[in-house]
Amino acid sequence: MVPNDPQDGKLLSRDQGPIGHLRRGRRAGCQRNRGRTRRRAPRFSADDLVSLDGESLHRAEFLRGVALTSGRLVAPEAPDTPFGVESDTLAPHDLEGGLPRQTILVAEDNAINQKVLRRQLALLGFEADIVANGREALERWRGANYALLITDLHMPQMDGYELAALIRAAETDHRHIPTVAGTANAVKGEAKRCREVGMDGYMTKPLQLSALNGMILRWLSPPATAQDRVEATAPKTVASNRPTQASPNLADLNVLAALVGDDPGEMAEVLAMFHTNSEQLRDEIRQGISSGNLQAVADAAHKLKSNARSIGAFSFGQTCADIEQVAEAGNSQRLRGRLAPFEAELAALCDYLVSVHPSHARELEGSGR
């Protein structure tokens, strides 16, 4: 009999009844997360043991645990740890070429992430020059000197890895742009690959405002008011990166407030953009499943996953991550079976956002939706 972990709550065991764990014959590669301050996803706590958190157990999480136990769902690899605290690379070169001294180049193809990053950098006192892919970013870098580059890793035309490698190959001894990766796919091996192509740092999305400020402080001499702006725009309550138990497990808007500040108008704009973009991405997923273009399904699910996490909708974000994983595995039959529940969950999330944030509803009305 497996001893019950009092921190994990009451769970179910396939072998022993209401003990707290689910067993299976082989490990799928997921390591135990020992954090105790938040609800966690189903996870392997031993080689043949899947644990769930009983104090906030929901049907979707239970079914995900059963899928892990039976081998129908493969657990993601343990995420890499962000890096970039210490570095022996050259300091950023003084800006020339007509740009303000504190202009940061951003390569990001996701519209929600673009808006969030622009808002965050403005709060920190920086100009942002944002492009949608690595090829555009490379051309911008060639034409002007930027203080810093923040790049997504997975973009069309040219990804962040190739962008960083080409910049490093073209740099001289007197010019170095600190380069930091931001990615929603924090899987094992990505941080190592970032180092190999010459990146100076690696952060996981959504980028917390305080963490982003800390990373910038390592490389630049920011405006004197930057730290004050972080403190002034911080939400009045400490935001978790998982929904609170008081919420219906759809979205924790404290997460969004921690990203862009708690200004209602700014939050309403981001939520309205999420609503619009989510419908577009939903349609891309539908069309991809119908036509058999599973790569298009994976790409759309990846973007929607990142968007959902940015507004604190972590349960729906995990649903998108599951669809992305199934699409990448090429299982079109399983995708068709997941389409209806996915659409129902998205509709419920959008209705919830309108109900809890009236400014969001007015923003949608103003846009003619």
Side-chain angles (χ1 to χ4, degrees), residues 66-86:
V66 172
L68 284 171
T69 306
S70 64
R72 293 173 63 88
L73 178 65
V74 177
E77 292 182 301
D80 279 331
T81 302
F83 71 86
V85 178
E86 298 90 15

Side-chain angles (χ1 to χ4, degrees), residues 24-72:
R24 60 169 286 189
R26 66 183 187 278
R27 187 171 186 172
C30 182
Q31 298 177 352
R32 185 174 188 177
N33 179 347
R34 296 187 179 277
R36 299 300 186 189
T37 61
R38 63 191 65 157
R39 186 177 67 83
R40 293 164 290 160
R43 61 207 175 275
F44 283 91
S45 52
D47 285 348
D48 62 348
L49 203 61
V50 174
S51 294
L52 309 172
D53 286 351
E55 68 275 10
S56 55
L57 184 61
H58 293 267
R59 182 174 180 271
E61 296 300 331
F62 174 76
L63 293 177
R64 190 168 288 117
V66 172
L68 284 171
T69 306
S70 64
R72 293 173 63 88

